[in-house]
Amino acid sequence: MKDNFIRGFLYKEIYRNEINGYMVGLFKVKDNNIDYDDDMIHITGVLPKLNEKKEYILYGATTVHNKYGLQFNVNSFEINIPTKEEELVVFLSSDLFPIGEKTAKKIVDLFHEDTINKILENKNCLESIPRLGEKKIDKIYNTLLDYQSTSNIVLELTKLGFDMKDSLSFLNKYSNKILDTVNNNVYDLIDSDEISFTKIDEIALGMGINEDDDRRVKALIIYIMKELCFNNGDTYLFFEDISNSLSNYVNITSEKLDYLMIKLIKDRKIIVVDKRYYLKKFYDAERYICERLCFLNDMSITSNVSISKYIDNIEKNNKIKYDDLQNKAIYSGVNNNITIITGGPGTGKTTIIKAIVNIIIHEKRLKESDIALLAPTGRASKKLMETTGISASTIHKYLGWDKDSNTFATDEYSPRSEKYIIVDEVSMIDTLLMEALLKGIKRDSKLILVGDYYQLPSVSEGQVLKDIIDSDCLPVIRLNQIYRQTEGSYILNLAYDIKEKNISEDLFIKKEDYLFISSDNDNTISYIKEVVKKAIKKGYTDKEVQVLAPMYKSLNGIDNLNIMLQELFNPKSDKKKEIKLRDVTFREYDKVLQLVNDPDNNVYNGDIGYIEDIIISNDKKIVNQININYDGNIVEYTPDKFINFRHGYAISIHKAQGSEFDMVIMPITNSFKRMLYNKLIYTGVTRAKKSLVVVGDSNAFIYGINNDYIDNRKTTLKDFIIDNYNN
C-alpha cells in the first residue's frame, strides 16, 4: 500500500496555479481507505490538469482545515485502468471512446482481462471486431495511449531521481514534452527556478552526463554566480570571482571557460559591461530602477501645496516644533515626485510620514485609497498603520506575490493606481524587490522612500538605499537632530556614539535604560538567564523582551539561547501539548518566528507569533498540525510547513530589522568576533525602546564598534544614476 488513497473522478477544479501546478479541487469519491463516507472531498496538491472523464487513484494524507473541514493532500497519483472484465466493458463504453456497450463487450469477450495490453501491443487486433473501422480503432488506441502516458512519464521521472512533487510540477509545465527536455538537456529545468542546481546536477550525473560536459559547466557557471551574488550581496562579479569558484567544482581549460562564457553571453544569460559580469536579471533590475527614479526626478512638479498652515496647527496643538529639515522633508514628500528621507532613530521619520499622510488627505483632499503605505516586513507595516491610522501593507502583499512561482500579480502591464507611494525601512529592500515595486506602481505616482542609511543592508542582493543616497543626484533629506529622547535616556545617545565610533567610559557605566554586564564566553548565557529572570519578576513578558544575537550556532548562539529562554518563558507543563521537530521541542504558547513569506496566509518573514494549538493525531490517516497566532491571524501548519518557523525568544539582528522591542538583550562575546561590525551593533542597539542590556566581553564590544566592515557590495545602481546625469 503506497499511502492513504481515494479513488474516483475530478468533479470540479476550484483553483490552479498555472506556473507550478498547485491546485484545489472537488473530487467525487468511489472508493477509499480513509473511512470517508461522503461522496465528495476537497483535494489539494501539485497535479497536472485532471481529465474529468478519467478515473484516478490519489495517494496522500488527510488534514483538517478550519474553513473547509477534512481535505485530502495529494502527494502522488495514478490513472486507474480497470482490469476486471465487467469494469473493462464500462470503461470502453464510456464517453472517452467512440463505441457503445455492445461493441465494448465483444472486445472484452475476445481478450478478457488482458484487453488493454492487447490493444496497446497491436491495435490491429481490433480489426476482427465487426463494424469497427480504422478511424474508431485509431481513436481507441490513441485514447489508451494517452491514458497511460501520464502515469508513465511520472514513473520515468521518479526513476531518474525526481521526487513526486517536482515530477508533477514539470509535467504540468512541459506536458508530455518533459521527457524530451530531460533527455536533451536536463539542466534547462533550472531556468524555472523551481528546482536547485544541486538536485538537477545529481540527477544529470546519474544519467551519465560527464562532469565537464558543456551543458553542465554552463549551468554550473550560472549557479556559482547566483550563489556568489547572494552570499556577498553583489549584483555583479568579476571574471576571476567566477573562475576561482568554478575551479572548486570542475577542472576545465581557460579556453573552454572563455568559449562557454561567450555562449552564455550570446544566449543573454550573462551581461558583461566594463569587465563586470552580471546575471541578466540583476543588470536589468538596476537599469530599470535607475530609469524609473530618474524619470520621476526629471518629471515636472505639478503640485505646490503650502504646508505652513498645517504645521502651525500641529505645533500649537501638540506643543512641538518642527526644525527646518523636517519641514523640508514634509514639503518635499507632499509636493515633489520623488523624495528620499534618511535619519537614525529618534530623528522624526515616523512623525514626518504621519504629517505627509495628513496633509495629503486634509489639504490635497485625496482619499486614503490614493495612498499606499508600504514596508518590507509585516511588523514594520503594522507600525506604519498604527502611526498614521490608515491601512498599510508589506510590499509583497501589495504586489500580489506568489511564493510558489516567485512572481508578482502586479507589474508594469497592470500597475496599482495609488497616487502616493510611501515606503518605510527602505534599507531592507533588495534590488529585485525594488524593481518589482517600481514596476507595480504608476509611472507618475509620487514616491517617498524612508530609511536609515546606517542600518544593515538587505539580506539579498543590492544596497538600494545606500546607492540612491550616495549617487547625490536625487533629492535626499538627511535628518540629524534627535527628538525622541526622554530625560535619563541613554540608548539613542549610545546608538549615535556607536555610529560615530565615539568610545568612552559611558559605554560600560550603568544608566537608567542601559546596562553592560562583563562576562566571558562560558558564562554569558548564565548572565542572560539571570537578567531574564529579573525581568520576569518585574512583570516583563516574552512580548516585551527580545534577545538578539549575531549567529545561530555556538554556546551563546540563537539556538542555545532559545532552549534556555523557552524554559523561562514557557516551561513544560501537563496542560500544554508539545511536539518534537528537528530535535527541537515546540509547545503550546511558544513564541515563534516566521522564516519565509507566505502571502496566502498573510504572514511574512520576520513576523513573530505564538503557538495556539498543537494537534497531534493518533490516526495515521490524519497528519499532525500546529496553529500559530500572529496578532489575531491564525495560520495552520501541516508537517510540510513545519520548517517555516522556529523559536522566536532569541532571533538574529537581521531578522529584527524593522522592529522595536521594549527590552533588548544582546550577547557580544569573543566567539562572535568575526561577525561583529559597526552596522550590526548599531542596528541591534536601535531595536531597543526602553531598556538595553549588553552581556559579554568589553574588548569584543569595542572591536565590533570600531570594525568598519561594510558589506562592500559590488553594485552599479549608484553608477547608473550618476551616468544618467553626466551623459
Side-chain angles (χ1 to χ4, degrees), residues 366-385:
L366 294 182
K367 296 177 288 190
E368 288 184 9
S369 58
D370 290 320
I371 306 167
L373 283 179
L374 306 174
T377 68
R379 280 176 289 168
S381 67
K382 187 182 176 189
K383 184 178 155 192
L384 267 179
M385 188 159 53

Side-chain angles (χ1 to χ4, degrees), residues 137 340 443:
I137 290 173
I340 298 101
R443 284 189 69 81

Side-chain angles (χ1 to χ4, degrees), residues 400-644:
W401 183 65
D402 185 300
K403 67 179 183 295
D404 296 315
S405 61
N406 193 26
T407 57
F408 295 95
T410 301
D411 55 24
E412 65 266 49
Y413 305 110
S414 56
R416 298 287 301 246
S417 60
E418 289 83 1
K419 297 175 181 177
Y420 280 81
I421 314 296
I422 304 175
V423 192
D424 199 8
E425 300 290 352
V426 177
S427 63
M428 299 175 67
I429 300 177
D430 60 75
T431 299
L432 295 181
L433 184 57
M434 179 58 79
E435 177 196 32
L437 174 60
L438 293 174
K439 283 183 174 180
I441 62 176
K442 292 192 306 176
R443 284 189 69 81
D444 61 350
S445 293
K446 293 183 184 295
L447 183 64
I448 301 153
L449 303 177
V450 184
D452 186 344
Y453 177 91
Y454 291 97
Q455 271 195 41
L456 290 168
S458 58
V459 172
S460 295
E461 301 86 353
Q463 47 186 8
V464 173
L465 181 65
K466 184 177 187 299
D467 278 354
I468 290 172
I469 293 172
D470 286 349
S471 73
D472 207 24
C473 295
L474 302 172
V476 177
I477 293 98
R478 294 173 172 84
L479 307 172
N480 48 36
Q481 181 69 41
I482 305 175
Y483 290 95
R484 197 183 71 213
Q485 185 90 10
T486 58
E487 198 166 334
S489 170
Y490 175 68
I491 294 172
L492 289 183
N493 284 336
L494 172 63
Y496 283 91
D497 283 346
I498 289 169
K499 187 180 84 174
E500 301 297 332
K501 296 191 285 297
N502 180 20
I503 296 169
S504 67
E505 283 301 312
D506 271 359
L507 201 62
F508 307 108
I509 296 172
K510 185 178 184 301
K511 307 292 190 304
E512 194 171 313
D513 60 349
Y514 170 72
L515 176 64
F516 179 88
I517 299 174
S518 181
S519 168
D520 60 21
N521 191 58
D522 293 338
N523 294 312
T524 295
I525 200 164
S526 299
Y527 280 119
I528 291 174
K529 187 174 185 178
E530 292 307 310
V531 170
V532 172
K533 279 182 177 178
K534 287 179 181 177
I536 291 171
K537 280 185 181 178
K538 289 180 179 178
Y540 281 91
T541 69
D542 54 8
K543 283 185 170 68
E544 289 94 41
V545 178
Q546 188 61 59
V547 178
L548 304 179
M551 57 194 291
Y552 286 92
K553 303 303 177 186
S554 84
L555 177 63
N556 301 303
I558 292 165
D559 293 341
N560 272 349
L561 286 165
N562 269 318
I563 293 169
M564 179 271 289
L565 292 165
Q566 181 193 36
E567 292 309 311
L568 291 181
F569 284 115
N570 191 28
K572 187 179 179 68
S573 165
D574 292 338
K575 295 179 180 179
K576 304 171 194 169
K577 286 176 279 185
E578 58 181 47
I579 188 170
K580 195 165 187 178
L581 309 172
R582 312 181 296 276
D583 297 323
V584 177
T585 299
F586 290 86
R587 61 179 62 108
E588 289 173 329
Y589 314 121
D590 265 343
K591 181 181 185 178
V592 292
L593 176 77
Q594 174 74 5
L595 301 174
V596 297
N597 289 324
D598 183 1
D600 293 340
N601 288 302
N602 196 26
V603 60
Y604 294 87
N605 182 5
D607 284 354
I608 288 176
Y610 289 84
I611 294 178
E612 188 163 277
D613 193 18
I614 295 176
I615 302 167
I616 300 173
S617 172
N618 295 319
D619 185 349
K620 290 184 179 179
K621 296 170 184 174
I622 300 178
V623 298
N624 296 329
Q625 185 172 307
I626 297 175
N627 297 336
I628 300 177
N629 187 336
Y630 296 91
D631 290 327
N633 175 30
I634 311 295
V635 179
E636 299 170 353
Y637 295 79
T638 46
D640 58 321
K641 300 290 192 300
F642 288 167
I643 59 169
N644 290 354

Side-chain angles (χ1 to χ4, degrees), residues 216-233:
R216 178 177 188 262
V217 179
K218 284 198 294 182
L220 192 51
I221 291 168
I222 298 298
Y223 166 70
I224 283 167
M225 290 183 70
K226 286 180 180 177
E227 289 292 294
L228 288 174
C229 285
F230 179 78
N231 292 337
N232 301 323

Side-chain angles (χ1 to χ4, degrees), residues 24-36:
V24 179
L26 200 56
F27 194 78
K28 189 171 181 62
V29 182
K30 285 182 64 179
D31 188 22
N32 69 84
N33 69 346
I34 58 174
D35 299 328
Y36 189 72

